[in-house]
Amino acid sequence: MKKLIVLTGSGISAESGLKTFRETGGLWETYDVMEVASYDGWERNQNLVLQFYNERRAQLKDAQPNAGHTGLVELEQYFDVQIITQNVDNLHERAGSKKVLHLHGELTKVRSTGDPFLVYDIGYKSIKAGDTCKKGFQLRPHIVWFGEAVPAIAEAAEISAQADIYAVIGTSLAVYPAAGLVDYVPQTVPVFVIDPNDISFPGYRNFEFIKEKAGRGVAILKDRLIQQFK
Ligand code: APR
């Protein structure tokens, strides 16, 4: 089976009612990103950061995967699909995608501030100041904040290098190192980009732009790929 690698961003979850980050009305317009999604912000005000992610978790509980997520699951019948997502939601998994690599962490997990390998599944529950790991350290969201390392990036780069077909869905590609993953995709590999808005894509690279929201865009992609590659 051909390897279809799909890099997703917050746009794929927009039709599920979750906000993107940089659009008008996006999360970073309502919140100061450096206050809620950086280690300095965490040091300044843990309660604010915990509340921000508690709200995101509560919202995720009520959200459902949309046609974009389920369309990618359907593609597993024809291709070896690996998703690399910048999203911290679990909508790919809940739709049924088998292989999902999270670059920026997961909302439904928390980890110890004293031992990064102590990670706990908390589902949709809230955490507060004073909630600790078994070693007594404060728990924090299992999220990659600005200025922090992205532990999964090396694996994501290797996966990207092995693609037979590559798709980029619902991301402005504004944030590195995730935005640089497409540089690892061999030049001969066809790249499809799904986004309802124009995004800036590396000029050196041939790609096909499907200017649609993820739900419809993935349906179009599915037809195209089955026609062209099966
Ligand atoms: N379907 C597909 N794409 C959409 C849709 C939709 N229904 N609605 C919006 N989009 C597109 C926007 O046009 C935009 O290009 O999704 C993209 C969202 O871009 P950003 O808001 O920048 O979000 P993202 O690229 O996921 O951000 C990357 O930034 O703050 C961090 O860690 C956070 O993982 C996040 C990272």
Side-chain angles (χ1 to χ4, degrees), residues 75-93:
L75 275 163
E76 290 184 7
Q77 291 168 37
Y78 309 93
F79 301 97
D80 177 7
V81 180
Q82 164 79 57
I83 293 168
I84 302 170
T85 187
Q86 297 167 85
N87 298 344
V88 296
D89 67 50
N90 58 4
L91 296 179
H92 283 303
E93 287 90 341

Side-chain angles (χ1 to χ4, degrees), residues 34 59 80 97-98 105 112 118 134 141 153 160 165 181 201:
M34 286 306 162
Q59 222 173 53
D80 177 7
S97 281
K98 287 200 195 74
S112 165
L118 264 183
K134 66 178 184 190
I153 199 70
S160 298
I165 309 161
L181 283 174
F201 204 74

Side-chain angles (χ1 to χ4, degrees), residues 21-36:
F21 294 96
R22 290 172 188 79
E23 291 181 283
T24 309
L27 278 173
W28 296 155
E29 207 173 71
T30 317
Y31 299 89
D32 180 339
V33 52
M34 286 306 162
E35 295 308 319
V36 298

Side-chain angles (χ1 to χ4, degrees), residues 9-12 14-15 20-23 28 33 86-87 104 144 146 169-175 194-197 199 212-215:
S10 55
I12 197 167
E15 287 163 274
T20 58
F21 294 96
R22 290 172 188 79
E23 291 181 283
W28 296 155
V33 52
Q86 297 167 85
N87 298 344
H104 294 163
V144 173
F146 280 94
I169 308 176
T171 172
S172 62
L173 292 176
V175 173
I194 300 176
D195 203 295
N197 301 302
I199 62 164
E212 295 283 353
K213 291 182 176 177

Side-chain angles (χ1 to χ4, degrees), residues 4-190:
L4 168 61
I5 313 301
V6 188
L7 173 65
T8 65
S10 55
I12 197 167
S13 297
E15 287 163 274
S16 297
L18 302 181
K19 283 190 170 166
T20 58
F21 294 96
R22 290 172 188 79
E23 291 181 283
T24 309
L27 278 173
W28 296 155
E29 207 173 71
T30 317
Y31 299 89
D32 180 339
V33 52
M34 286 306 162
E35 295 308 319
V36 298
S38 76
Y39 194 80
D40 288 347
W42 169 253
E43 286 201 315
R44 276 193 290 274
N45 191 343
Q46 291 194 359
N47 285 326
L48 179 75
V49 175
L50 290 173
Q51 186 197 333
F52 175 74
Y53 288 102
N54 286 342
E55 281 170 16
R56 305 275 78 71
R57 221 176 278 119
Q59 222 173 53
L60 177 57
K61 184 180 177 190
D62 296 326
Q64 299 302 327
N66 65 57
H69 300 103
T70 55
L72 292 178
V73 179
E74 288 161 19
L75 275 163
E76 290 184 7
Q77 291 168 37
Y78 309 93
F79 301 97
D80 177 7
V81 180
Q82 164 79 57
I83 293 168
I84 302 170
T85 187
Q86 297 167 85
N87 298 344
V88 296
D89 67 50
N90 58 4
L91 296 179
H92 283 303
E93 287 90 341
R94 277 162 58 192
S97 281
K98 287 200 195 74
K99 293 199 273 181
V100 183
L101 179 67
H102 284 270
L103 287 176
H104 294 163
E106 292 172 74
L107 267 179
T108 55
K109 293 179 179 167
V110 293
R111 72 171 182 268
S112 165
T113 48
D115 179 349
F117 295 104
L118 264 183
V119 178
Y120 298 92
D121 226 311
I122 58 158
Y124 304 103
K125 286 201 276 265
S126 289
I127 53 166
K128 55 183 187 317
D131 289 344
T132 56
C133 73
K134 66 178 184 190
K135 294 180 177 173
F137 297 105
Q138 174 66 42
L139 292 173
R140 58 163 277 179
H142 187 48
I143 301 285
V144 173
W145 288 327
F146 280 94
E148 293 190 310
V150 181
I153 199 70
E155 189 182 349
E158 251 174 65
I159 292 170
S160 298
Q162 270 148 37
D164 295 310
I165 309 161
Y166 207 77
V168 177
I169 308 176
T171 172
S172 62
L173 292 176
V175 173
Y176 282 83
L181 283 174
V182 73
D183 295 338
Y184 290 90
V185 181
Q187 286 286 340
T188 48
V189 169

